[in-house]
């Protein structure tokens, strides 16, 4: 079970509490991979954009990758290093700014590349070192859930080999990018690489870099780092290319908590507890993925004497986080601590029902709990008109 000895008696709820020391530990694991292999590792900001941590994180990683203009700008302004971007399609009106901000632009199709090629060449003509890549789709992924599988039939992500061979004009292209994994170990990467190499390997030597995307669960306890490093070394040595990884989850895995308070208790066929945090607003992956987050000190239903169904304060009937059991009966005012709440939470928050956004706090390496940001009515109102 996760060790937790942070004093939460005086912190406001709901709040995200990110442990700087745990985050730095992840950074050191990632840096170890890049040090030993010479690969470059980027933070995929879509999973974790807590930019108050970027100065620390930027000591360990080569830069950031973005899914949009705004993420690219955040990475450039707050993280530094290399700024990469991939999007299924770019807007003409945003391209000038993207060209200014980014070092690597990955295009999702040959027609996207052709649409913006003149602009790219112009910027290169002014002496900017701008590298462009194409996202390929190897039509191989070991992902059961379709909404997380970029290789489902009819996927709009990446170009499949048959189209690549028809349309691919690699003049001006520096790299290939694939992203086909989700929370997976390096054995999946190894099998994926066999397919990618089989299909697209003939183009590798013409490239400066190959980007292996994200979904590598590198900082998980059972992750086989040695195998990852063999995969990286094999591709780099065989084809004389630079390998990039862009993990999101792995960067901030198991580094943060969502602290909440019990607002109300009731019974409607089962014991109910209503919290001041919402699955729909503050941890939407609980409903989307779906999954059941862990709570410090709680067990599975019936494992401990007192079982409750925990739900949020919204009007959504399905705003249920899950069923949990406790050693003692819950009381109004009790604080509960959800674990692994740094990733895909803050970045996905919304204010449905006018629910308050959780504050953002850190637990510093010095052992202090520090308020980074609190949200209020204006944050809710400012997104509406
Ligand atoms: C989502 C995504 C990532 C990060 O994925 P994680 O599963 O968070 O590691 C990296 N690259 C691309 C293109 C992505 O879409």
């Amino acid at each position: 079970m996760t060790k937790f000895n942070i004093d939460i008696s005086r912190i406001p709820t709901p709040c995200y509490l990110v442990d700087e020391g745990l985050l730095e530990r992840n950074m050191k694991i990632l840096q170890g991979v890049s040090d030993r292999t010479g690969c470059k590792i980027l933070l995929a900001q879509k999973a974790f954009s807590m930019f108050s941590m970027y100065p620390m994180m930027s000591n360990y990683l080569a830069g950031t990758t973005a899914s949009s203009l705004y993420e690219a700008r955040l990475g450039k302004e707050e993280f530094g290093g290399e700024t990469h971007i991939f999007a299924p399609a770019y807007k003409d009106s945003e391209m000038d700014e993207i060209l200014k901000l980014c070092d690597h632009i990955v295009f999702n199709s040959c027609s996207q590349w052709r649409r913006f090629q003149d602009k790219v060449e112009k910027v290169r003509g002014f002496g900017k070192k701008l590298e462009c890549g194409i996202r390929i789709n190897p039509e191989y992924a070991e992902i059961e859930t379709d909404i997380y599988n970029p290789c489902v039939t009819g996927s709009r992500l990446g170009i499949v080999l048959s189209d690549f061979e028809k349309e691919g004009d690699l003049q001006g292209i520096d790299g290939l990018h694939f992203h086909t994994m989700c929370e997976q170990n390096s054995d999946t990467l190894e099998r994926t690489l066999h397919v990618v190499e089989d299909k697209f390997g003939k183009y590798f030597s013409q490239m400066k870099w190959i980007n292996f995307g994200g979904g590598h669960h590198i900082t998980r306890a059972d992750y086989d780092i040695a195998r990852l490093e063999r995969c990286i070394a094999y591709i780099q040595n065989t084809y004389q290319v630079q390998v990039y990884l862009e993990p999101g989850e792995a960067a901030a895995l198991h580094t943060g908590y969502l602290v909440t308070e019990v607002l109300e208790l009731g019974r409607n066929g089962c014991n109910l507890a209503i919290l001041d945090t919402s699955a729909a607003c503050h941890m939407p992956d609980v409903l989307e993925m779906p999954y059941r987050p862990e709570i410090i000190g709680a067990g599975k239903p019936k494992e401990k004497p007192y079982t409750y169904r925990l739900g949020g304060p919204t009007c959504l009937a399905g705003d249920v986080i899950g069923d949990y059991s406790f050693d003692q009966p819950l009381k109004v005012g009790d604080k509960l601590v959800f674990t692994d709440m740094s990733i895909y939470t803050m970045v996905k928050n919304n204010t449905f029902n006018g629910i308050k956004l959780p504050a953002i706090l850190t637990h510093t390496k010095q052992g202090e709990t520090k308020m980074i940001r609190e949200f209020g009515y204006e944050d809710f109102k400012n997104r509406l008109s």
Side-chain angles (χ1 to χ4, degrees), residues 295-328:
I295 295 178
I296 305 252
K300 298 199 174 63
K302 306 261 162 62
E303 195 178 308
K304 293 171 182 263
Y306 303 95
T307 295
Y308 294 84
R309 176 158 299 165
L310 305 183
T314 70
C315 67
L316 176 74
D319 193 358
V320 170
I321 301 153
D323 293 352
Y324 298 83
S325 64
F326 299 88
D327 291 321
Q328 304 292 331

Side-chain angles (χ1 to χ4, degrees), residues 177-352:
H177 176 291
F178 68 90
H179 170 72
T180 60
M181 291 171 50
C182 181
E183 302 185 337
Q184 279 157 322
N185 212 317
S186 46
D187 57 326
T188 299
L189 173 66
E190 192 171 61
R191 289 188 292 273
T192 304
L193 265 182
H194 280 144
V195 179
V196 173
E197 189 187 16
D198 233 30
K199 292 187 166 173
F200 294 93
K202 50 184 179 272
Y203 304 107
F204 283 9
S205 299
Q206 306 169 46
M207 298 296 147
K208 291 192 185 127
W209 47 266
I210 308 289
N211 187 321
F212 291 1
H216 316 276
H217 241 190
I218 303 168
T219 52
R220 197 173 74 198
D222 69 343
Y223 188 88
D224 183 353
I225 291 182
R227 189 189 300 267
L228 168 69
E229 293 180 358
R230 286 196 300 276
C231 290
I232 295 168
Y234 169 74
I235 294 293
Q236 291 192 148
N237 297 335
T238 310
Y239 300 101
Q240 303 304 309
V241 289
Q242 170 74 57
V243 164
Y244 281 90
L245 306 179
E246 44 184 37
E249 281 218 20
L253 191 66
H254 295 305
T255 62
Y257 310 94
L258 174 51
V259 185
T260 179
E261 191 177 83
V262 177
L263 298 181
E264 181 61 33
L265 296 163
R267 218 191 130 73
N268 235 350
C270 67
N271 288 327
L272 301 169
I274 297 175
L275 310 179
D276 65 357
T277 192
S278 156
C281 301
H282 307 150
M283 37 185 147
D285 277 358
V286 165
L287 305 179
E288 256 176 53
M289 237 180 153
Y291 81 104
R292 177 183 174 280
E294 294 295 324
I295 295 178
I296 305 252
K300 298 199 174 63
K302 306 261 162 62
E303 195 178 308
K304 293 171 182 263
Y306 303 95
T307 295
Y308 294 84
R309 176 158 299 165
L310 305 183
T314 70
C315 67
L316 176 74
D319 193 358
V320 170
I321 301 153
D323 293 352
Y324 298 83
S325 64
F326 299 88
D327 291 321
Q328 304 292 331
L330 288 181
K331 301 185 302 297
V332 169
D334 280 353
K335 284 186 168 143
L336 302 178
V337 180
F338 289 97
T339 64
D340 200 17
M341 281 290 158
S342 295
I343 43 176
Y344 292 105
T345 50
M346 291 176 242
V347 291
K348 286 189 142 190
N349 272 349
N350 64 75
T351 56
F352 180 51

Side-chain angles (χ1 to χ4, degrees), residues 28-264:
K28 287 183 173 153
I29 294 172
L30 297 179
Q31 188 190 40
V33 173
S34 48
D35 281 352
R36 287 184 296 271
T37 60
C39 82
K40 292 192 186 182
I41 304 187
L42 311 167
L43 168 69
Q45 294 178 94
K46 76 162 195 247
F48 184 75
S49 302
M50 186 175 169
F51 58 86
S52 55
M53 291 294 187
Y54 284 8
M56 179 275 283
M57 298 170 82
S58 65
N59 294 324
Y60 300 97
L61 304 182
T64 56
T65 190
S67 308
S68 63
L69 168 61
Y70 293 166
E71 276 190 1
R73 183 170 159 187
L74 187 70
K76 178 84 176 177
E77 288 181 356
E78 301 292 336
F79 200 106
E82 295 183 22
T83 304
H84 294 215
I85 191 169
F86 162 78
Y90 296 105
K91 272 172 86 71
D92 202 30
S93 59
E94 294 185 347
M95 195 37 103
D96 288 338
E97 216 179 328
I98 288 172
L99 288 165
K100 258 189 241 142
L101 291 169
C102 294
D103 304 290
H104 282 209
I105 303 178
V106 175
F107 293 93
N108 192 41
S109 63
C110 295
S111 71
Q112 274 279 300
W113 161 237
R114 277 194 298 276
R115 177 158 308 136
F116 296 109
Q117 189 171 5
D118 286 348
K119 282 194 171 185
V120 167
E121 298 301 353
K122 203 159 139 204
V123 173
R124 284 172 170 167
F126 293 135
K128 173 163 175 166
K129 191 170 163 294
L130 173 64
E131 303 199 349
C132 292
I134 298 273
R135 178 162 174 174
I136 53 175
N137 179 339
E139 299 171 85
Y140 178 88
E142 300 179 5
I143 300 173
E144 307 281 322
T145 329
D146 278 358
I147 77 161
Y148 293 108
N149 185 354
C151 298
V152 285
T153 319
S155 165
R156 69 191 198 297
L157 300 168
I159 177 159
V160 298
L161 182 64
S162 55
D163 291 340
F164 193 84
E165 285 178 329
K166 261 185 267 156
E167 306 173 39
D169 173 10
L170 296 177
Q171 189 69 38
I173 290 295
D174 307 285
L176 297 176
H177 176 291
F178 68 90
H179 170 72
T180 60
M181 291 171 50
C182 181
E183 302 185 337
Q184 279 157 322
N185 212 317
S186 46
D187 57 326
T188 299
L189 173 66
E190 192 171 61
R191 289 188 292 273
T192 304
L193 265 182
H194 280 144
V195 179
V196 173
E197 189 187 16
D198 233 30
K199 292 187 166 173
F200 294 93
K202 50 184 179 272
Y203 304 107
F204 283 9
S205 299
Q206 306 169 46
M207 298 296 147
K208 291 192 185 127
W209 47 266
I210 308 289
N211 187 321
F212 291 1
H216 316 276
H217 241 190
I218 303 168
T219 52
R220 197 173 74 198
D222 69 343
Y223 188 88
D224 183 353
I225 291 182
R227 189 189 300 267
L228 168 69
E229 293 180 358
R230 286 196 300 276
C231 290
I232 295 168
Y234 169 74
I235 294 293
Q236 291 192 148
N237 297 335
T238 310
Y239 300 101
Q240 303 304 309
V241 289
Q242 170 74 57
V243 164
Y244 281 90
L245 306 179
E246 44 184 37
E249 281 218 20
L253 191 66
H254 295 305
T255 62
Y257 310 94
L258 174 51
V259 185
T260 179
E261 191 177 83
V262 177
L263 298 181
E264 181 61 33

